[in-house]
Amino acid sequence: MKAVIIGAGEVGYHIAKALSPKNDVVIIEKDEEASKRADELDVLVIEGNGANAEILSKVLQNADLLVAVTGVDEVNIVACMTAKLITKNKNGWKDTKTIARVSNPDYIDSPVTSRAQVGVDLMICPELALASEVADILSSPSAIDAEMFAEGKVRMTEFAISPESKLVGKHMQDLRLADCCIVSAVFREDEIIIPHGDDLIKANDHMVVVGKPEAMENLENVFGSQVPHRTRILLIGCGIVGFYLAKLIDRENNADLRIIEHRKGRCIEVAEALENALVLNGDGTDVSLLREENIEDMDVVVAVTDSDEKNLLCALLAKQLGAKKVIARADRSDYLPLFEMVGIDMAVSPREATVNEVLKLTMGKGIQTLTTIEGEKAEIIEYTASERSKIVGKPLNKVKFPKGSLINMVVRGKETIIPRGDFVINNGDRVVIFSMASAVSEVEKYFR
């Protein structure tokens, strides 16, 4: 497959890194430093404006995919429109699929949408995707990650087992989860374990649970403790991500939300738009302000300013002052492990949504949803089985499924099933699979 990537920033670089081992990748980037970094990959790098029709005409022949992920919405949209016009007017050229990264809410109102009428097959808003992810996590106070599959019929939640947890030293079978929930993986330091009933639970384990959303609501009784009051949330920073997140929290009306924003004019805008939030004009690193707002009583503090360094400082201060859980935004991918290493409960990045959507288009047919977990060590993938899929029509205990992977759930119509050994997958079933990164390519073969 040939892919053209416009923009070699954090998002573009990681898309190119993911695609380059098995695909022909071309990067167009006007910044000299970003171009030099991209040159480290096995890709062709062209310095220039990715929306320039002349440059695009030179690289689009036989291109399957164009991904525009610069930091400017208009450049990304124009590049996609131009690519569609060029390929349409060239006889014998492929109809190149186009993806644009867009942040402005004037252009997009959901994390992923189609704008085919203007030449963009897929429009992705990383900021809104990030806000949606954090909102899902906030709905379960003990969770450190969450994702929905099969149009909301299946939920994945990741829990961290604290040293004080009542579960430490118990066996997996002692969890007594509902019949429609399954522990699909345990991350223990650098080890990934697909657990069995007699495996012991240890302090600092990260456990990935997949199940029906209604059953997952009861997991707080297992992995944490039910909060006896409305969840108290302090949000630091109300830019694009912060405002998206605040609206999602405000809409649910099940939280006591306070917002700290340093720009006075932005505070006024936010206060007028939100009904239930208290908006404070101040600095999230101001210890006196944090103490005035009783930060030690906060269930969650979320730092989502546009500065990774400020988010880290805000989160560390909040943790030091007694906040129960802290979440921080980190745009730079190399900061993610650092944030968690110094005690941040969860570091989130807006780039992952864009990377995952691109990978869905390139990994093969049948993929509906894909999410990476634990810093890309593993993936949870939703496939739709077809009559050509090798996994269809035979009991699962007769299928030599790759080591390091596990079928978690199957959605058949309105029914959600945890499959056993004698279960047979049918054409049209939606199959949710946990897979270590090393096994993903083998899993794909069963759904081609």
Side-chain angles (χ1 to χ4, degrees):
M1 187 197 77
K2 180 178 179 182
V4 178
I5 300 170
I6 299 172
E10 277 294 303
V11 175
Y13 177 85
H14 280 86
I15 291 172
K17 185 179 179 181
L19 295 183
S20 57
K22 296 182 180 179
N23 302 284
D24 179 11
V25 177
V26 180
I27 293 179
I28 304 174
E29 171 59 61
K30 65 179 181 180
D31 181 78
E32 185 177 350
E33 288 301 314
S35 297
K36 286 180 180 177
R37 183 190 183 203
D39 264 329
E40 298 169 2
L41 303 172
D42 184 19
V43 300
L44 171 63
V45 180
I46 298 172
E47 282 194 40
N49 182 350
N52 184 298
E54 186 176 345
I55 294 175
L56 289 175
S57 294
K58 293 177 181 177
V59 299
L60 280 175
Q61 187 170 7
N62 298 322
D64 300 277
L65 180 66
L66 179 133
V67 185
V69 286
T70 74
V72 182
D73 292 355
E74 290 74 17
V75 169
N76 297 335
I77 294 170
V78 169
C80 289
M81 294 171 67
T82 304
K84 283 291 187 183
L85 288 171
I86 289 171
T87 55
K88 183 180 179 180
N89 293 324
K90 295 281 188 179
N91 291 330
W93 282 27
K94 292 181 179 177
D95 177 21
T96 304
K97 293 287 185 184
T98 57
I99 299 177
R101 170 188 176 178
V102 175
S103 298
N104 191 327
D106 290 340
Y107 298 135
I108 190 168
D109 58 3
S110 61
V112 180
T113 190
S114 174
R115 293 286 186 271
Q117 66 272 26
V118 295
V120 184
D121 292 309
L122 209 62
M123 194 175 277
I124 303 168
C125 180
E127 292 81 5
L128 185 50
L130 178 62
S132 298
E133 177 187 353
V134 174
D136 282 341
I137 295 164
L138 294 178
S139 67
S140 183
S142 299
I144 60 169
D145 199 359
E147 186 74 38
M148 300 297 284
F149 298 87
E151 297 173 348
K153 295 184 178 70
V154 176
R155 178 184 171 97
M156 179 280 291
T157 307
E158 183 178 354
F159 296 92
I161 307 300
S162 69
E164 301 80 26
S165 173
K166 59 188 177 183
L167 297 176
V168 174
K170 292 190 175 183
H171 294 91
M172 288 290 171
Q173 61 200 19
D174 297 330
L175 289 174
R176 301 188 184 281
L177 300 179
D179 290 340
C180 48
C181 292
I182 181 174
V183 178
S184 62
V186 176
F187 293 89
R188 182 175 294 159
E189 296 179 348
D190 292 330
E191 191 179 6
I192 305 174
I193 302 164
I194 294 180
H196 299 89
D198 57 354
D199 287 338
L200 283 175
I201 299 168
K202 296 186 178 182
N204 301 313
D205 280 353
H206 285 195
M207 301 180 67
V208 178
V209 184
V210 177
K212 289 183 180 179
E214 55 269 27
M216 303 287 274
E217 292 174 5
N218 297 322
L219 290 181
E220 280 301 316
N221 295 323
V222 178
F223 291 97
S225 57
Q226 289 284 8
V227 178
H229 51 256
R230 294 173 71 211
T231 307
R232 292 185 286 248
I233 301 170
L234 176 64
L235 180 62
I236 301 173
C238 210
I240 294 175
V241 172
F243 188 52
Y244 277 140
L245 178 56
K247 286 199 293 184
L248 290 171
I249 298 170
D250 192 63
R251 188 184 307 157
E252 294 298 322
N253 198 25
N254 61 353
D256 177 3
L257 175 63
R258 300 185 182 195
I259 300 168
I260 296 177
E261 168 58 46
H262 71 94
R263 295 167 294 172
K264 190 172 182 179
R266 182 63 168 170
C267 286
I268 295 170
E269 291 176 25
V270 173
E272 290 175 348
L274 303 177
E275 293 182 5
N276 304 306
L278 173 63
V279 184
L280 305 165
N281 180 217
D283 189 334
T285 61
D286 183 342
V287 175
S288 298
L289 175 59
L290 295 177
R291 283 184 170 144
E292 283 176 15
E293 295 307 316
N294 300 315
I295 195 165
E296 68 277 7
D297 295 331
M298 293 294 166
D299 296 301
V300 189
V301 175
V302 187
V304 287
T305 75
D306 292 332
S307 165
D308 288 358
E309 293 77 10
K310 186 167 185 177
N311 292 335
L312 176 59
L313 180 55
C314 290
L316 287 174
L317 282 172
K319 198 72 173 175
Q320 185 68 30
L321 292 171
K324 296 178 181 63
K325 182 162 74 172
V326 293
I327 299 172
R329 168 186 176 179
D331 286 346
R332 288 185 56 178
S333 57
D334 48 347
Y335 279 8
L336 290 171
L338 171 65
F339 275 37
E340 296 183 5
M341 193 184 302
V342 297
I344 308 305
D345 294 298
M346 184 179 182
V348 290
S349 170
R351 74 168 173 85
E352 286 189 4
T354 309
V355 174
N356 288 343
E357 287 299 327
V358 173
L359 292 181
K360 275 169 54 178
L361 285 180
T362 60
M363 285 176 63
K365 296 179 180 179
I367 295 180
Q368 302 300 321
T369 309
L370 178 150
T371 187
T372 55
I373 48 180
E374 287 290 318
E376 301 179 2
K377 292 178 184 175
E379 296 177 1
I380 295 183
I381 312 168
E382 177 196 340
Y383 290 92
T384 297
S386 71
E387 56 187 13
R388 297 186 302 277
S389 300
K390 295 177 183 176
I391 202 167
V392 165
K394 60 182 77 171
L396 291 180
N397 54 20
K398 301 293 184 183
V399 178
K400 294 182 180 179
F401 215 56
K403 186 178 180 181
S405 59
L406 178 69
I407 296 177
N408 291 162
M409 306 285 283
V410 175
V411 176
R412 179 175 293 166
K414 295 181 179 180
E415 191 179 7
T416 304
I417 307 156
I418 294 181
R420 307 300 177 188
D422 58 351
F423 185 83
V424 177
I425 291 175
N426 294 338
N427 177 25
D429 284 351
R430 301 175 78 157
V431 186
V432 179
I433 295 172
F434 169 88
S435 176
M436 296 181 192
S438 57
V440 169
S441 59
E442 290 299 312
V443 171
E444 288 174 38
K445 294 177 182 178
Y446 285 86
F447 291 89
R448 288 176 181 169

